[in-house]
Amino acid sequence: MITSTKNPRIISARKLNQRKHRHRQDRFLVDGLQLLSLAVQNRRARPHQIFYCAELFNGQTAPRLLTQLSEAGGEPISVSAKVLATLSERDSPQGLVATFAISSVTQSQADILAALPVEHASLVLILDQLQDPGNLGTMLRTADAVGASALFLLTPSVDPFDPKTVRGTMGSIFTMPFVTITEPFPLFEQLRQRNYRLVGADGRRGDTVWQSDSLHGSVALLLGNEARGLRTELDSHVERYVSLPLRGQAESLNVAVAGGTLMYEWLRSNI
């Protein structure tokens, strides 16, 4: 059992709260039984290390997950409650924290595009230079909930493997196809070739969403940076804009709130 927080394995795992170390090590940390339950259902997700403290287990879920993660190739590492507390961001750790290979839960742009539906209406999300990890986590989770087909992140972007993002997805990081891309314009053309309409969300222009048919059919919904919105250089590629009304004194909506509303309006329009 590891009882020291200065153990090299513990130090290495704690460094995963930094983007550069996540990508150097090709792994990210997952904390929480609900997230780990979805991870074991994704056969592509490859666990590295499983830090566990049996005295913190409450019920049968944690022991079952420990067995499943071990059978999937993870290395079980017994640690003290004190050590586990340094790895977990929860107020009450649930006794189990695991690391997963980033490369095992990501897909290429080509693979995601090849898997897009062609026989029925589909939604993809394109997030332009998003910076807040909580917003990304919420939108990944919401996109998963409405049955969206994919999510594309235009750089520079928040890291989808940031601990706040992972926690915000509530496990959808293991089920929702997503990829970070640097060149948006080839993506736009490839989506058009697949009969996706590029629709931008902008509170200053475009029709109010429920007075428009812009979200009917296969749609690539573009949402912009929290402070600046969509970049002007994307304008010529956007076919239509939609907006949400602001009836009170607020000047704008949080991008995750706006994105969630528009995603559900797409779902309503295509039922």
Side-chain angles (χ1 to χ4, degrees), residues 38 137 140-142 144-145 166 169-178:
L38 287 171
L140 269 166
R141 182 181 180 185
T142 308
D144 191 6
V166 174
T169 70
M170 291 303 290
S172 291
I173 195 166
F174 293 107
T175 57
M176 183 70 203
F178 66 92

Side-chain angles (χ1 to χ4, degrees), residues 55-247:
E55 69 179 86
L56 295 177
F57 289 175
N58 183 14
Q60 297 303 310
T61 301
R64 173 177 54 80
L65 287 171
L66 176 59
T67 299
Q68 291 174 319
L69 290 166
S70 301
E71 291 174 347
E75 177 190 7
I77 301 171
S78 176
V79 300
S80 67
K82 176 184 176 182
V83 170
L84 192 74
T86 68
L87 297 175
S88 173
E89 293 190 352
R90 303 177 67 91
D91 293 334
S92 299
Q94 296 176 308
L96 203 60
V97 173
T99 63
F100 289 82
I102 289 176
S103 56
S104 71
V105 298
T106 54
Q107 300 178 51
S108 69
Q109 179 178 334
D111 287 344
I112 289 177
L113 288 168
L116 290 180
V118 294
E119 296 181 354
H120 57 81
S122 169
L123 175 69
V124 301
L125 229 60
I126 302 175
L127 306 182
D128 182 32
Q129 300 186 345
L130 207 70
Q131 294 301 309
D132 184 270
N135 284 336
L136 176 55
T138 297
M139 284 198 277
L140 269 166
R141 182 181 180 185
T142 308
D144 191 6
V146 303
S149 298
L151 185 147
F152 298 91
L153 291 166
L154 307 185
T155 58
S157 169
V158 62
D159 184 9
F161 299 100
D162 183 285
K164 291 181 180 178
T165 301
V166 174
R167 186 167 60 252
T169 70
M170 291 303 290
S172 291
I173 195 166
F174 293 107
T175 57
M176 183 70 203
F178 66 92
V179 66
T180 300
I181 63 173
T182 57
E183 297 292 338
F185 305 122
L187 169 65
F188 295 164
E189 182 56 33
Q190 290 167 325
L191 289 170
R192 285 196 191 92
Q193 291 173 1
R194 290 166 171 80
N195 296 318
Y196 282 80
R197 179 188 304 118
L198 272 65
V199 178
D202 192 324
R204 297 165 297 177
R205 53 184 162 176
D207 297 327
T208 301
V209 65
W210 43 78
Q211 296 174 340
S212 168
D213 65 352
S214 295
L215 296 183
H216 185 73
S218 291
V219 170
L221 178 62
L222 286 81
L223 293 146
N225 174 272
E226 289 89 347
R228 301 182 300 275
L230 290 169
R231 284 175 284 171
T232 55
E233 55 262 42
L234 304 183
D235 284 352
S236 60
H237 295 267
V238 177
E239 299 172 42
R240 300 186 190 180
Y241 285 95
V242 293
S243 64
L244 293 167
L246 298 173
R247 296 293 178 85

